[in-house]
Amino acid sequence: MKLIPVRHSAMGSIWMCHLFLLLSILCTTFIATMANNATDSYLLLKVKSELVDPLGAFSNWFPTTQFCNWNGITCAVDQEHVIGLNLSGSGISGSISVELGNFTSLQTLDLSSNSLSGSIPSELGQLQNLRILQLYSNDLSGNIPSEIGNLRKLQVLRIGDNMLTGEIPPSVANMSELKVLALGYCHLNGSIPFGIGKLKHLISLDVQMNSINGHIPEEIEGCEELQNFAASNNMLEGDLPSSMGSLKSLKILNLANNSLSGSIPTALSHLSNLTYLNLLGNKLHGEIPSELNSLIQMQKLDLSKNNLSGSIPLLNVKLQSLETLVLSDNALTGSIPSNFCLRGSKLQQLFLARNMLSGKFPLELLNCSSIQQLDLSDNSFEGKLPSILDKLQNLTDLVLNNNSFVGSLPPEIGNISSLENLFLFGNFFKGKIPLEIGRLQRLSSIYLYDNQMSGLIPRELTNCTSLKEIDFFGNHFTGPIPETIGKLKDLVVLHLRQNDLSGPIPPSMGYCKSLQILALADNMLSGSIPPTFSYLSELTKITLYNNSFEGPIPHSLSSLKSLKIINFSHNKFSGSFFPLTCSNSLTLLDLTNNSFSGPIPSTLANSRNLGRLRLGQNYLTGTIPSEFGQLTELNFLDLSFNNLTGEVPPQLSNSKKMEHILMNNNRLSGEISDWLGSLQELGELDLSYNNFSGKVPSELGNCSKLLKLSLHHNNLSGEIPQEIGNLTSLNVLNLQRNGFSGLIPPTIQQCTKLYELRLSENLLTGVIPVELGGLAELQVILDLSKNLFTGEIPPSLGNLMKLERLNLSFNQLEGKVPSSLGKLTSLHVLNLSNNHLEGKIPSTFSGFPLSTFLNNSGLCGPPLRSCSESMVQGKIQLSNTQVAIIIVAIVFTSTVICLVMLYIMLRIWCNWRKVTISSAEGGGTVGHKTRNGEYWNMNSFGFIPSPDKQNSATTTSFYNLKMETMENTNM
């Protein structure tokens, strides 16, 4: 009996030991669990500390609460391990913590669609249980860590839409369970890894929008379960591998916008599950395989923008699921197959634009009643549109532009009630717009420009109240703009330019309050601008040029604050144009050739984006506003043909983008400022017909892009600056009618692109530089007339083979006309008159008029007198000195002869007196008897007795006496 208590006591001790052991185990487990929980909580808080949380994604992440209840946290069933972290789209930023690598139980990590930056931590490769990793749509950078290949259980890897660089690591081939690999929209390069074929379970491969190059690996055929392969917008090259035909599960194949070449492999026809095939924008050539007709699941097929040729072999009767077919931008020929389409088709979009298709409008298409969008533009289709076009009752877009269609528009087009966009421009359509067009209540755009249509614009068109765009440019429409145009409340674009429209602008147009672009230029419209235009608050562009509009600009137009482009040129507008200057958005204002008057409004300077300002050919007065210096975007300034006065404001030097300055034909004065040399973009400078004075600033030589420099008809003086040679792009240089002096600078030979050079009516001196002969592009004219040039014409001018006009008149040139000038076969105007030229004119110049050579006394040859006649007349003209000597000799000789004759006459008279006195004294008779008994009158001088030999019978004749006397005198 005593043994019983002992046994009971022993049993109690054993029980107590077991209880203690159990409590110890429970305690240990509890402590371990608490420690583990404390570690995960601590690590998660460390992850949180590296992130910025503006939207409160971590609002309940506190140490005092159970972390399994925190936002974005998923725990295992035992509530002891974190198996999911999802903070997608939480607005967090910062970097991904390396501490995430310690969550070894993690199966899902989704931080996508945030603003995370930095690199992807390589520590993520420690997450051996991870199945889903999504980091897409962040700002992550750097390379994809190769350690990511350690995630052997990973099924989904989406890290695209980041700024990742480098290559796709080959280690991705180690993730044998991978189903989704999405790396698109990054900056990755390199090639697709050959090991990609090891991913037997891969369903989706997305690497689009990167810079991946190289070939598509043949090994891709190993991805037997692949359904989606998107590699568009990369740099892939080479042929499409035929091995892709083994991807029986493939549904989507997108290889658009690469550099793939070769032909389309027929093996693609084996992809029986393919629904989407996009090969646009590559370098594929050859014919489209007819085998593609076996892809009966195909819904969208795009082969556009390649070099494919041949006919169209694809038939919608076989591709019964096809909804979209895009073959645009190839070299396809022929027409659409006759059996292309049958009733019951699902085809909705057919785009065949920009090929070489021809023939009549393909009636086969009328069987595709499901078609919504039809684009046959930019081909060679011809003929008339079929009247049964209205069989396409679902048509929303009819695009037939840039073909050779003729005839008129069929009235039946008004029966296609679904039509929204009608593009028929660039054809040869004639006739009127059918009135039935007014039935198209859904019509949004109608483009008929560049046709030959005529007649009135029908009022019925304004019944299409959904119209947003009307473009009838370049036709022959006549009559007025419909008065009911204001019914088109949604109209955004109205383009009626280059027609024969007449009459005024309907006031109702002001009620088209959505109008943004209004182009009425090149018509015969008249009248004034309706005040209702003030309602067009959305108007950004208005062009009315080349019409007959008149009157002042309504002041109400100053409320149009959105205007960017205004062109009212070549009309009859008058008064101030101030209302057009109140929009601060102006980029172009052209009011050329009107009758605007008054000063230029300084409010124009508020349009800081103004690029083109053309106010030429008006009656503007006053000075150029100094506020124009605020127009830093100005590149074209035309103030020509006005009555502007004063100086050019120096503030214009702020317009560094200036390319054209036209201020000619005004009354501007002062000196040409040196700041013009700071306008590096200046291509044209015309200051002609003003009152500018002083020298041409040498700084102009800095305008290296200058093409035209016109400073003629001013009061400029001094020498032409040497820096003119720096203008190596110059085409036109016109400095005529000034007071320039000195030499033509030899640096002008550097202006090798000159095709027009005018330096006439100045005071230039010296010889014509031989360097001018190097300006081989001179074509329009070389005019050096009315200067003070001396010396000879340089033979080098004969090198100007393109020259059409040469004027060297009214100078002091001398010497011969160089024979080399005769080689100028393009020359049709020549003027060498009023110089001192001599010698024979080159025979090739014989066809020029006489005025070409006038007042050059030494020139001869056609059209002047012949050179042989000239030599006979004067043995070539004597010099001035020789002429003077000859004249003096003639005068001297004549004087001597006269004196001798006077002496002889005096001697004769004296002898006669002696004879007379002697006879009188002797009482003899006046006559003498000769030997023959004849009597001679003494006064006849028949015989005169010698005074020295009066008794001699010998007589001396008067002739002999005269000669003797002269001989004695000459001695």
Side-chain angles (χ1 to χ4, degrees):
M1 294 296 295
K2 292 182 179 178
L3 290 175
I4 293 176
V6 173
R7 189 180 295 119
H8 180 77
S9 175
M11 289 296 293
S13 297
I14 294 171
W15 183 83
M16 288 298 293
C17 289
H18 287 170
L19 179 62
F20 179 78
L21 181 60
L22 178 62
L23 290 174
S24 299
I25 292 172
L26 291 174
C27 183
T28 303
T29 303
F30 176 76
I31 293 172
T33 302
M34 290 300 293
N36 183 68
N37 288 350
T39 302
D40 282 2
S41 176
Y42 172 75
L43 292 175
L44 286 171
L45 291 175
K46 287 195 67 175
V47 170
K48 172 188 173 182
S49 66
E50 298 183 30
L51 299 172
V52 178
D53 178 25
L55 302 181
F58 302 123
S59 59
N60 65 344
W61 282 38
F62 296 111
T64 56
T65 60
Q66 167 61 291
F67 68 87
C68 288
N69 296 324
W70 292 356
N71 291 334
I73 300 297
T74 301
C75 288
V77 178
D78 58 9
Q79 298 290 297
E80 296 179 2
H81 305 289
V82 176
I83 61 172
L85 175 57
N86 186 347
L87 295 173
S88 176
S90 300
I92 57 176
S93 59
S95 59
I96 300 175
S97 174
V98 297
E99 301 293 346
L100 286 174
N102 295 317
F103 292 91
T104 55
S105 299
L106 204 59
Q107 297 178 16
T108 300
L109 176 58
D110 190 348
L111 302 178
S112 60
S113 302
N114 284 293
S115 300
L116 300 173
S117 57
S119 60
I120 299 175
S122 59
E123 287 78 3
L124 295 185
Q126 301 171 15
L127 304 177
Q128 295 297 319
N129 292 302
L130 199 62
R131 286 169 173 75
I132 298 176
L133 176 57
Q134 301 197 136
L135 304 177
Y136 63 88
S137 298
N138 278 287
D139 298 317
L140 300 173
S141 58
N143 295 345
I144 301 173
S146 60
E147 290 82 358
I148 210 157
N150 298 332
L151 305 178
R152 302 303 177 93
K153 295 182 180 181
L154 198 65
Q155 297 178 6
V156 177
L157 176 60
R158 288 179 174 161
I159 55 176
D161 194 15
N162 278 289
M163 295 185 289
L164 300 173
T165 55
E167 299 184 358
I168 301 173
S171 61
V172 298
N174 299 331
M175 296 184 285
S176 57
E177 300 296 320
L178 200 61
K179 294 182 178 180
V180 177
L181 178 59
L183 308 176
Y185 296 90
C186 289
H187 303 288
L188 301 174
N189 52 36
S191 59
I192 299 174
F194 292 110
I196 200 78
K198 296 179 181 180
L199 304 179
K200 304 296 183 181
H201 302 293
L202 194 63
I203 295 175
S204 178
L205 174 59
D206 182 0
V207 294
Q208 60 187 329
M209 293 297 295
N210 280 288
S211 298
I212 296 172
N213 52 42
H215 293 66
I216 299 174
E218 293 275 357
E219 292 79 359
I220 199 170
E221 65 179 339
C223 302
E224 300 172 351
E225 299 180 13
L226 193 63
Q227 297 180 16
N228 175 27
F229 180 26
S232 61
N233 298 92
N234 278 287
M235 301 164 61
L236 296 172
E237 56 189 8
D239 294 349
L240 275 170
S242 298
S243 60
M244 295 187 67
S246 302
L247 303 175
K248 302 296 185 180
S249 300
L250 200 61
K251 294 181 178 180
I252 296 174
L253 177 58
N254 187 357
L255 301 176
N257 296 320
N258 280 284
S259 297
L260 298 170
S261 56
S263 59
I264 300 174
T266 57
L268 293 185
S269 62
H270 302 152
L271 304 177
S272 57
N273 290 304
L274 203 61
T275 61
Y276 180 93
L277 175 59
N278 192 344
L279 301 178
L280 83 88
N282 280 283
K283 300 178 181 179
L284 301 171
H285 58 79
E287 297 187 0
I288 301 172
S290 59
E291 290 82 355
L292 295 185
N293 284 307
S294 63
L295 301 176
I296 59 175
Q297 300 296 326
M298 184 70 67
Q299 297 176 8
K300 299 183 185 301
L301 175 59
D302 192 343
L303 305 179
S304 61
K305 295 186 179 180
N306 280 285
N307 298 314
L308 300 173
S309 57
S311 59
I312 299 174
L314 301 174
L315 303 174
N316 192 227
V317 293
K318 294 184 178 181
L319 301 173
Q320 297 178 1
S321 300
L322 194 63
E323 297 176 359
T324 300
L325 176 60
V326 187
L327 302 178
S328 303
D329 298 285
N330 279 290
L332 300 173
T333 55
S335 189
I336 294 174
S338 58
N339 57 343
F340 177 77
C341 194
L342 295 177
R343 297 185 184 277
S345 165
K346 296 180 181 178
L347 190 65
Q348 297 178 8
Q349 289 91 25
L350 178 60
F351 301 111
L352 304 178
R354 292 171 293 281
N355 278 284
M356 295 185 288
L357 301 172
S358 58
K360 306 292 184 181
F361 182 90
L363 298 177
E364 295 76 18
L365 294 179
L366 301 181
N367 293 325
C368 300
S369 57
S370 57
I371 287 184
Q372 297 177 7
Q373 295 174 303
L374 175 61
D375 187 354
L376 304 180
S377 62
D378 295 277
N379 280 287
S380 298
F381 289 110
E382 58 188 5
K384 297 182 178 180
L385 295 184
S387 59
I388 56 175
L389 191 63
D390 56 351
K391 291 179 66 176
L392 302 177
Q393 281 297 305
N394 293 301
L395 198 64
T396 60
D397 298 276
L398 180 59
V399 185
L400 304 178
N401 52 280
N402 296 323
N403 279 284
S404 297
F405 289 114
V406 297
S408 57
L409 301 186
E412 290 79 5
I413 203 168
N415 297 331
I416 310 176
S417 58
S418 58
L419 198 61
E420 297 177 6
N421 297 295
L422 182 60
F423 294 90
L424 303 179
F425 60 88
N427 282 284
F428 299 99
F429 288 116
K430 293 184 177 181
K432 300 179 179 180
I433 298 175
L435 303 183
E436 290 78 4
I437 204 86
R439 300 175 186 169
L440 303 178
Q441 294 298 305
R442 297 183 183 178
L443 193 63
S444 176
S445 301
I446 178 169
Y447 280 73
L448 303 178
Y449 67 83
D450 282 338
N451 277 287
Q452 300 173 9
M453 302 188 72
S454 57
L456 301 176
I457 298 175
R459 292 171 58 99
E460 287 76 6
L461 182 65
T462 62
N463 294 332
C464 305
T465 52
S466 297
L467 270 173
K468 294 182 179 179
E469 299 178 4
I470 297 176
D471 194 337
F472 294 168
F473 163 80
N475 281 281
H476 304 291
F477 290 115
T478 56
I481 300 171
E483 293 181 358
T484 54
I485 192 75
K487 293 169 61 177
L488 304 179
K489 305 295 184 183
D490 297 326
L491 195 63
V492 175
V493 176
L494 178 59
H495 203 320
L496 304 179
R497 183 189 156 210
Q498 212 172 94
N499 280 282
D500 299 316
L501 300 173
S502 57
I505 298 175
S508 71
M509 190 178 290
Y511 301 114
C512 301
K513 295 184 179 181
S514 298
L515 199 61
Q516 296 180 17
I517 297 176
L518 175 61
L520 304 179
D522 295 310
N523 279 286
M524 296 183 289
L525 298 168
S526 57
S528 58
I529 297 177
T532 54
F533 266 35
S534 60
Y535 302 143
L536 303 177
S537 58
E538 302 295 320
L539 199 62
T540 61
K541 178 180 179 180
I542 178 171
T543 58
L544 306 180
Y545 58 88
N546 290 338
N547 278 287
S548 297
F549 292 115
E550 58 187 3
I553 304 296
H555 190 270
S556 57
L557 264 61
S558 60
S559 62
L560 303 182
K561 304 297 184 181
S562 299
L563 278 171
K564 294 182 178 180
I565 296 175
I566 302 175
N567 192 338
F568 286 5
S569 62
H570 304 282
N571 278 286
K572 302 174 183 178
F573 289 113
S574 58
S576 173
F577 63 90
F578 172 80
L580 300 177
T581 68
C582 296
S583 169
N584 297 342
S585 303
L586 282 177
T587 60
L588 183 150
L589 177 62
D590 191 344
L591 305 178
T592 307
N593 194 14
N594 278 282
S595 298
F596 290 112
S597 58
I600 300 174
S602 59
T603 50
L604 271 174
N606 296 328
S607 296
R608 300 300 172 85
N609 292 317
L610 190 63
R612 293 174 68 89
L613 177 59
R614 304 201 64 173
L615 305 176
Q617 301 180 57
N618 281 284
Y619 300 101
L620 301 175
T621 56
T623 60
I624 302 172
S626 60
E627 290 84 355
F628 277 11
Q630 301 172 26
L631 302 176
T632 55
E633 298 296 317
L634 198 62
N635 61 67
F636 201 122
L637 177 60
D638 181 3
L639 305 177
S640 61
F641 293 94
N642 279 287
N643 294 313
L644 299 173
T645 55
E647 299 186 1
V648 179
Q651 290 84 354
L652 276 176
S653 61
N654 296 328
S655 303
K656 300 299 183 184
K657 297 182 180 180
M658 192 76 78
E659 298 177 10
H660 303 268
I661 296 179
L662 307 178
M663 298 182 178
N664 51 292
N665 296 83
N666 279 285
R667 292 185 289 155
L668 299 171
S669 57
E671 295 188 353
I672 297 177
S673 303
D674 54 7
W675 56 260
L676 286 167
S678 66
L679 304 180
Q680 297 296 305
E681 301 299 318
L682 194 62
E684 181 180 13
L685 177 62
D686 193 344
L687 303 178
S688 59
Y689 290 100
N690 278 288
N691 298 317
F692 290 108
S693 58
K695 296 182 177 181
V696 175
S698 60
E699 288 79 4
L700 271 182
N702 298 329
C703 301
S704 58
K705 295 183 179 180
L706 201 62
L707 300 176
K708 181 178 180 180
L709 178 59
S710 297
L711 305 178
H712 56 94
H713 290 83
N714 278 287
N715 299 316
L716 300 171
S717 58
E719 296 185 352
I720 300 173
Q722 297 283 338
E723 291 77 6
I724 206 80
N726 296 338
L727 305 179
T728 54
S729 298
L730 203 61
N731 297 148
V732 176
L733 177 59
N734 192 342
L735 304 179
Q736 66 184 30
R737 203 76 178 271
N738 278 287
F740 290 112
S741 58
L743 308 176
I744 296 177
T747 55
I748 202 169
Q749 65 180 321
Q750 298 165 201
C751 302
T752 55
K753 296 182 180 179
L754 270 175
Y755 65 80
E756 181 177 344
L757 177 58
R758 299 175 188 263
L759 302 178
S760 62
E761 298 183 71
N762 280 287
L763 302 172
L764 298 172
T765 56
V767 298
I768 297 174
V770 296
E771 290 84 359
L772 291 182
L775 302 178
E777 297 300 317
L778 269 180
Q779 178 177 349
V780 176
I781 192 171
L782 172 59
D783 190 353
L784 306 179
S785 63
K786 296 183 181 179
N787 278 285
L788 302 173
F789 291 116
T790 57
E792 299 184 350
I793 299 174
S796 62
L797 295 187
N799 298 328
L800 306 179
M801 299 304 296
K802 298 180 180 180
L803 194 63
E804 297 176 354
R805 291 185 288 173
L806 175 62
N807 192 347
L808 304 178
S809 63
F810 290 96
N811 279 288
Q812 299 174 16
L813 300 173
E814 57 188 17
K816 297 182 178 181
V817 178
S819 60
S820 61
L821 295 188
K823 299 184 299 182
L824 301 180
T825 55
S826 299
L827 203 65
H828 57 79
V829 176
L830 175 66
N831 195 346
L832 302 178
S833 65
N834 295 283
N835 281 288
H836 305 306
L837 301 172
E838 61 184 13
K840 185 177 181 181
I841 298 170
S843 59
T844 53
F845 288 170
S846 60
F848 286 107
L850 185 65
S851 59
T852 299
F853 309 104
L854 285 179
N855 296 324
N856 287 283
S857 56
L859 285 178
C860 62
L864 302 177
R865 65 180 183 276
S866 67
C867 293
S868 57
E869 178 185 346
S870 178
M871 291 184 66
V872 169
Q873 287 182 355
K875 293 291 184 180
I876 308 303
Q877 300 269 347
L878 298 175
S879 68
N880 292 339
T881 304
Q882 290 173 323
V883 171
I885 292 173
I886 291 173
I887 292 174
V888 170
I890 291 173
V891 172
F892 178 75
T893 303
S894 301
T895 303
V896 170
I897 292 172
C898 290
L899 291 173
V900 170
M901 291 294 292
L902 184 62
Y903 173 74
I904 293 173
M905 294 294 291
L906 183 62
R907 289 287 302 272
I908 293 173
W909 184 79
C910 290
N911 291 335
W912 181 79
R913 285 285 296 172
K914 289 179 182 181
V915 172
T916 304
I917 294 173
S918 177
S919 299
E921 289 176 353
T925 60
V926 178
H928 287 260
K929 189 176 180 178
T930 67
R931 288 181 178 179
N932 299 326
E934 297 176 347
Y935 288 89
W936 292 88
N937 190 341
M938 291 297 296
N939 294 332
S940 69
F941 297 102
F943 292 96
I944 299 176
S946 173
D948 299 324
K949 300 180 179 181
Q950 294 181 10
N951 297 324
S952 173
T954 305
T955 60
T956 303
S957 71
F958 173 69
Y959 177 76
N960 292 334
L961 175 64
K962 182 178 178 181
M963 292 302 296
E964 290 174 359
T965 305
M966 290 184 68
E967 289 176 0
N968 292 332
T969 302
N970 291 333
M971 293 177 63

